[in-house]
Amino acid sequence: MTRITVIGAGFGALTAIRKLRAADRALGIDVIAPKPELVYYPSTIWIPTGLRTPEDVVVDLKPFFERQGVTYHPASVTGLKDGGRVVLTDAGEVANDGLIIASGGRFLKKLPGIEHAITPCEGVEAAVRIRDRLAGMEGGTIAFGFAGNPKEPAAMRGGPIFEFMFGIDQHLRKRGDRDRFKLVFFTPAPKPGNRLGPKAVEGLMREMKRRDIETHLGHKLKGFEADKVTTEGGEFAADLIVFMPGMTGNAWFDNTDLPRSDGGLLQANASCQVTGQDKVYVAGDSGSFPGPDWLPKQAHMADLQAEAAVANLLGEFQGKAPSHTFKAELICIVDTRTSGILVKRTETRNVILPSTPVFHWAKRAFEWWYLRQYR
């Protein structure tokens, strides 16, 4: 029996599992992840303001794994050997005939004092910390910011910061004490949200101005203190810091011979094959892929890359050369808790539709539609 190992339990990994099983009911599929659960990160933006609870956004995958007939290995990957044919874990070795790596990325935590900032996309626990800190505040300054990986421009995830910021602003207004708070948005980028497109930058800046959110843009970050953000352009007080650093590859990549990009991700070609490797593919945040400079790190992109990886890997078992590629497409709803801005970008078009409650409810409807296949 042909056996394929999938590393991870996030968006790209689960799409790979579904596509593999749909293509071949007899295929042996091994899944390696520390926990059998999916964290639906797009909805963690609503945890700090009480629109969602941790239980709402964490899906137990054991029933899904059983339906798909996969063998789940509760373990953390530590490395590879034999050209990727054996995955090393803290619970033993898992052999394979083909490998799909979808284990996500790792946030860069090199800035001095970064322990004083909360990185919201690190997990549900981080969103809960923001919720609890916010609930205990009667006023003060809340700083929201993001940065990138200087060696890997695509390895960044700034969009959720706008959503946390707009959602908390809306929550404070509903709470009736927004006037007691100062909200400040900061980033080294002079044009925040530029990856969403020029129109999106203009729209986001207008939205911040309308909500009386101050900005501190275009200055390299120097570090954080418990009550302060420091940049090369000055410093400002902050009682709560919500910050998304740039991303790099998983630590276990260092214990492999896999090729890496300058930013530490796995170097992939347009077919999602790890460059120069035999039947080793990558999808999502773990990989560095060819494409436009705005190529997003988001769930939708991970799904598209996983589909291409599965098609090419299965084709290789049939003696076919990899030929499937993925579409470079950014699509998201920047949510404000009661409304949303729709942004779509491809290599030929960039569309932004203004804020409306319809898009907020569309985001919630998509959450239900997407998660139903895994519940």
Side-chain angles (χ1 to χ4, degrees):
M1 176 193 294
T2 299
R3 298 203 69 86
I4 293 177
T5 293
V6 178
I7 300 176
F11 297 101
L14 298 184
T15 295
I17 293 167
R18 288 192 296 105
K19 295 299 180 180
L20 287 168
R21 181 55 72 222
D24 188 347
R25 297 300 303 178
L27 189 68
I29 304 175
D30 292 283
V31 180
I32 305 173
K35 295 181 179 180
E37 61 184 34
L38 167 67
V39 177
Y40 190 74
Y41 282 100
S43 294
T44 59
I45 60 169
W46 294 321
I47 290 178
T49 61
L51 201 57
R52 289 289 183 273
T53 67
E55 294 74 22
D56 294 327
V57 303
V58 178
V59 178
D60 180 2
L61 292 174
K62 290 191 291 292
F64 170 74
F65 289 157
E66 291 175 4
R67 292 196 303 271
Q68 296 294 317
V70 306
T71 301
Y72 167 63
H73 302 264
S76 295
V77 175
T78 58
L80 303 175
K81 70 177 185 180
D82 297 341
R85 293 289 73 85
V86 176
V87 180
L88 307 176
T89 82
D90 56 8
E93 299 181 355
V94 181
N96 68 80
D97 300 298
L99 177 63
I100 297 177
I101 300 170
S103 52
R106 175 167 52 106
F107 288 107
L108 291 166
K109 294 295 189 80
K110 295 182 179 180
L111 279 171
I114 197 167
E115 67 273 10
H116 298 298
I118 301 176
T119 301
C121 283
E122 277 191 314
V124 169
E125 296 80 4
V128 169
R129 285 178 62 200
I130 298 172
R131 181 196 68 188
D132 294 346
R133 289 280 301 277
L134 187 64
M137 295 176 69
E138 296 181 353
T141 300
I142 307 176
F144 301 85
F146 65 82
N149 180 339
K151 297 181 179 180
E152 188 87 28
M156 67 182 302
R157 187 177 290 144
I161 285 293
F162 293 113
E163 298 184 287
F164 278 98
M165 179 172 64
F166 292 148
I168 288 175
D169 170 82
Q170 194 71 27
H171 176 65
L172 293 174
R173 292 177 188 277
K174 182 179 179 181
R175 209 167 77 171
D177 58 357
R178 173 64 174 87
D179 59 328
R180 299 178 185 174
F181 289 84
K182 178 191 290 187
L183 271 56
V184 181
F185 173 74
F186 67 97
T187 179
K191 295 182 178 180
N194 194 46
R195 298 169 61 77
L196 301 177
K199 292 182 180 178
V201 174
E202 296 172 5
L204 291 169
M205 294 300 294
R206 281 197 303 269
E207 188 71 11
M208 283 188 275
K209 184 176 181 180
R210 185 179 74 83
R211 293 175 177 271
D212 194 26
I213 297 172
E214 298 183 12
T215 59
H216 188 88
L217 309 176
H219 302 292
K220 184 178 179 180
L221 296 173
K222 294 179 66 176
F224 305 101
E225 295 181 29
D227 58 355
K228 186 186 301 182
V229 176
T230 304
T231 77
E232 291 185 349
E235 61 184 36
F236 57 91
D239 300 290
L240 172 60
I241 304 169
V242 181
F243 175 68
M244 200 88 78
M247 302 174 68
T248 187
N250 298 156
W252 67 265
F253 293 173
D254 294 340
N255 196 26
T256 74
D257 295 324
L258 300 178
R260 311 277 289 278
S261 69
D262 290 341
L265 304 181
L266 299 181
Q267 191 65 61
N269 59 28
S271 299
C272 299
Q273 186 177 36
V274 179
T275 306
Q277 304 301 298
D278 178 37
K279 298 183 180 65
V280 178
Y281 287 80
V282 62
D285 292 352
S286 295
S288 177
F289 303 88
D293 59 5
W294 51 263
L295 192 68
K297 289 295 185 186
Q298 62 174 191
H300 176 60
M301 197 74 260
D303 288 340
L304 296 178
Q305 290 162 349
E307 291 180 15
V310 167
N312 287 319
L313 178 55
L314 294 178
E316 282 202 82
F317 288 122
Q318 299 172 1
K320 301 176 183 177
S323 60
H324 296 269
T325 59
F326 59 89
K327 181 180 182 181
E329 181 175 64
L330 183 158
I331 183 166
C332 68
I333 292 174
V334 181
D335 189 78
T336 70
R337 197 179 186 274
T338 57
S339 63
I341 303 167
L342 177 67
V343 180
K344 182 176 181 180
R345 189 173 189 180
T346 67
E347 295 193 78
T348 57
R349 297 185 66 193
N350 186 197
V351 177
I352 178 169
L353 299 181
S355 183
T356 170
V358 172
F359 293 138
H360 168 74
W361 288 101
K363 192 179 184 88
R364 293 175 67 165
F366 183 81
E367 172 197 56
W368 172 85
W369 178 85
Y370 192 91
L371 292 180
R372 65 182 172 80
Q373 61 196 328
Y374 300 120
R375 292 195 186 279

